Amino acid sequence: MSVVMQTNWRSLAQSLQPRNQAFIGGKFVDALSGRTFPTYNPATGQLITQIAACDAADVDKAVQVARRAFDSGIWRDLKPTERKAILLRWSQLIREHLEELALLETLDTGKPIKESVSVDVPSCASAIQWYAECIDKLYDEVAPNGPSSLVLVTREPIGVVAAVVPWNYPLIISSWKIGPALAAGNSLILKPAEQSTLSALKLAELAQQAGIPDGVFNVVPGLGPEAGQAIGLHPDIDAVLFTGSTEVGRKFLEYSARSNLKRVGLELGGKSPHIVTKDADLEKAAMYVAYAIWYNMGQTCNAGSRLIVHRSIKDQLFELMRPWARRLYPGDPLEPTTELGALISAEHCDRVKYYIELGQQEGARVAFGGRQILQETGGWFLEPTVLENVHNDMRVAREEIFGPVLVAIEYDELEEAVAIANDSEYGLAAAVWCRDITQAHLVARQLRAGTVWINAFDHTSINAPFGGYKQSGHGRDKSLHAFDKVTELKTTWVELH
Ligand code: NAD
């Protein structure tokens, strides 16, 4: 029997004592101000714990210890094989603490325990492992400059890096920043989203057990406008790796301009189109369209949130999606068979409901779902929803809803579908469903998005870069390209004659 079926999650939840202090310089500490903020279980609405609310003073303290650790060379000057061994030990410890980490993630975010166990924790461990394994395999360059000089191009760690992350995939997204930043030899300060701090603090405990030197990995929990802003404005942070909304991403560029021009990597929002042509394998497309919008309750940056479907097959596709809407129905996240959990907060649930209402005012019709459910639990659950009769100029087609709400737009000619897909301020991901692979490639080439799937959606691997075009951000997470955000290239010119 699998871990998810074997474990009694409710009794484990009762015995769990989540850490709630910041982790700075190798110590778990309260915020200097002594202030805290609450974190709630989205599936019950109940308080889990109060967490240290770090502000500018705590961020400054974390930057000082991170800088000292960096300058001392205690981490960046380790032999590559030694740094690799420590990171591998950390990833192994993450795997060994699968149940606890998965439970923390589920209690804090409302995502199904099945997903936390099978996706979130293993992906986090694998990402750190992957970057650890890169450390002693990356070579520097010699520029081809003729016999009279030796021109070395070497990659160096940038220094003190901060990662500011959202609540939808706390462990996974953190690992995409931690992996390259620490593998390259930097010091890192992680600021989790205020809704989802618990797993980051457990990661810190395991980092210390693995042997990561004090000051090299720090966690400063806190509110965005306090801890987040202090990171953005700090004059001694060299790079910020941000994942979150486009609105806050824009602020990080301003913070950088107003402070020390720190490098800013941005992984932002999306409104990713899913083009289904009349030649598509509709059964397969129906399953993927359903998962692409409803997985993680639609709280996924690259959720396939705009269905652009050929008019002649829309009804057929909807019929094929109905069984998926029934199967992907929300329930108690601690139940091992639950496929969809809760939305992150009451405010967020209200915001998604507002969009369902707005869509109808704009002329859309609810084709599936549309209601809040399971109110008796105290949690925040919504039915898998589809709005039809949507036009791409409606707000529900242009703005990121970040909930389980698909908008369906019909088209007649393929050029029109491509134009609709590209008519968005976002460009994170897209998909095209078409059996004619040449046609599919031609469409993929025209789509302005960081990832384009052909006859698939959300297939992903740590060795493929991930990031956006347009206002979905810049820079790439995952793959070797992620090192670009956390390293400097140094040219050392040696004159030989
Ligand atoms: P958010 O932008 O509100 O918050 C993200 C982080 O920024 C949090 O840690 C938060 O505390 C911090 N923050 C908030 N306000 C701040 C401020 N004024 N100054 C500094 N920091 C601040 O995003 P969210 O609601 O946590 O997450 C949802 C968003 O994240 C969606 O837009 C989603 O598309 C995006 N996202 C993008 C990706 C990607 O890889 N492109 C992945 C996941 C989520």
Side-chain angles (χ1 to χ4, degrees):
M1 218 180 4
S2 67
V3 169
V4 71
M5 300 304 282
Q6 263 167 0
T7 311
N8 184 337
W9 296 103
R10 286 190 191 83
S11 84
L12 194 58
Q14 266 157 18
S15 60
L16 199 66
Q17 292 196 315
R19 286 194 176 275
N20 55 7
Q21 291 173 297
F23 182 72
I24 299 176
K27 295 190 181 65
F28 283 97
V29 290
D30 291 331
L32 290 167
S33 67
R35 288 187 306 127
T36 60
F37 66 91
T39 190
Y40 297 97
N41 179 344
T44 62
Q46 285 176 0
L47 177 75
I48 305 174
T49 186
Q50 292 280 346
I51 295 177
C54 293
D55 61 20
D58 306 277
V59 167
D60 189 50
K61 185 172 131 191
V63 175
Q64 286 184 34
V65 298
R67 174 63 62 193
R68 268 203 302 278
F70 182 73
D71 288 347
S72 74
I74 194 170
W75 180 245
R76 68 168 176 184
D77 292 344
L78 280 183
K79 283 195 179 135
T81 47
E82 290 169 350
R83 213 160 59 236
K84 169 175 146 181
I86 293 172
L87 288 180
L88 286 179
R89 205 150 52 230
W90 193 15
S91 74
Q92 184 53 31
L93 284 167
I94 292 168
R95 291 200 173 90
E96 288 168 14
H97 290 79
L98 170 70
E99 286 92 338
E100 187 179 347
L101 277 165
L103 187 56
L104 289 169
E105 200 79 323
T106 285
L107 292 176
D108 226 6
T109 64
K111 67 174 66 197
I113 192 70
K114 183 167 120 178
E115 302 300 340
S116 299
V117 166
S118 63
V119 179
D120 296 72
V121 180
S123 304
C124 169
S126 301
I128 292 176
Q129 177 186 346
W130 194 85
Y131 284 102
E133 285 167 351
C134 292
I135 296 175
D136 59 351
K137 297 174 190 65
L138 286 176
Y139 292 76
D140 290 319
E141 299 166 13
V142 178
N145 231 51
S148 63
S149 56
L150 177 62
V151 181
L152 304 174
V153 183
T154 49
R155 245 179 217 281
E156 299 190 344
I158 192 167
V160 175
V161 176
V164 179
V165 297
W167 44 261
N168 54 346
Y169 296 95
L171 281 170
I172 296 179
I173 292 173
S174 299
S175 70
W176 294 351
K177 321 288 191 198
I178 292 169
L182 292 192
N186 298 288
S187 296
L188 183 71
I189 298 166
L190 172 65
K191 197 208 85 63
E194 42 273 54
Q195 299 86 345
S196 59
T197 305
L198 302 180
S199 59
L201 296 173
K202 184 70 193 174
L203 278 188
E205 183 188 308
L206 300 178
Q208 194 164 42
Q209 271 179 40
I212 294 191
D214 294 350
V216 170
F217 179 68
N218 308 278
V219 181
V220 290
L223 306 182
E226 296 179 3
Q229 174 166 317
I231 284 172
L233 289 172
H234 201 287
D236 201 27
I237 291 178
D238 298 293
V240 172
L241 309 178
F242 174 76
T243 294
S245 60
T246 295
E247 183 192 345
V248 177
R250 206 181 293 282
K251 287 190 201 290
F252 272 95
L253 292 177
E254 288 173 19
Y255 298 150
S256 170
R258 279 164 53 199
S259 56
N260 61 340
L261 293 181
K262 59 179 65 64
R263 191 178 299 171
V264 179
L266 297 177
E267 299 288 342
L268 308 176
K271 193 76 185 175
S272 299
H274 222 135
I275 299 178
V276 182
T277 68
K278 57 185 173 186
D279 159 52
D281 174 343
L282 286 189
E283 285 213 11
K284 198 169 161 202
M287 179 185 80
Y288 275 89
V289 170
Y291 270 97
I293 183 62
W294 295 328
Y295 184 78
N296 210 38
M297 291 62 73
Q299 302 168 128
T300 302
C301 50
N302 61 290
S305 51
R306 277 188 304 152
L307 172 66
I308 303 171
V309 56
H310 193 272
R311 198 176 302 283
S312 65
I313 52 157
K314 190 213 77 183
D315 291 343
Q316 203 186 340
L317 182 70
F318 276 18
E319 277 323 298
L320 291 165
M321 284 172 63
R322 287 203 187 275
W324 292 106
R326 284 193 289 274
R327 176 169 165 183
L328 297 179
Y329 206 73
D332 179 356
L334 289 181
E335 201 50 59
T337 52
T338 294
E339 299 259 4
L340 289 196
L343 287 126
I344 190 72
S345 64
E347 301 75 50
H348 188 54
C349 187
D350 286 346
R351 184 172 171 273
V352 178
K353 283 194 311 190
Y354 161 78
Y355 274 108
I356 296 172
E357 193 52 50
L358 173 71
Q360 293 172 85
Q361 285 166 20
E362 288 182 300
R365 284 187 303 270
V366 175
F368 294 54
R371 292 172 310 159
Q372 186 173 357
I373 50 169
L374 300 174
Q375 282 98 327
E376 66 283 6
T377 59
W380 308 301
F381 297 88
L382 279 177
E383 287 180 321
T385 299
V386 179
L387 297 177
E388 62 179 341
N389 200 34
V390 170
H391 299 279
N392 203 45
D393 53 1
M394 293 180 180
R395 279 183 61 200
V396 286
R398 306 202 75 78
E399 297 174 18
E400 188 181 40
I401 299 176
F402 220 57
V405 182
L406 178 68
V407 299
I409 303 166
E410 293 166 49
Y411 76 89
D412 296 301
E413 303 297 332
L414 201 47
E415 301 78 61
E416 189 191 343
V418 172
I420 294 169
N422 284 336
D423 178 16
S424 169
E425 67 186 39
Y426 296 112
L428 191 54
V432 52
W433 288 88
C434 184
R435 281 198 177 94
D436 176 345
I437 206 73
T438 306
Q439 182 76 271
H441 266 292
L442 291 172
V443 171
R445 275 200 185 177
Q446 295 174 68
L447 290 172
R448 306 232 331 121
T451 300
V452 179
W453 286 283
I454 294 178
N455 298 330
F457 202 91
D458 216 10
H459 286 191
T460 168
S461 157
I462 190 68
N463 56 27
F466 179 74
Y469 281 31
K470 302 192 265 182
Q471 293 188 44
S472 289
H474 44 69
R476 292 293 179 267
D477 273 343
K478 303 164 77 180
S479 81
L480 296 181
H481 294 280
F483 283 113
D484 294 344
K485 293 199 278 199
V486 291
T487 55
E488 294 280 17
L489 283 184
K490 177 178 278 177
T491 300
T492 308
W493 190 296
V494 187
E495 208 45 58
L496 299 175
H497 295 293

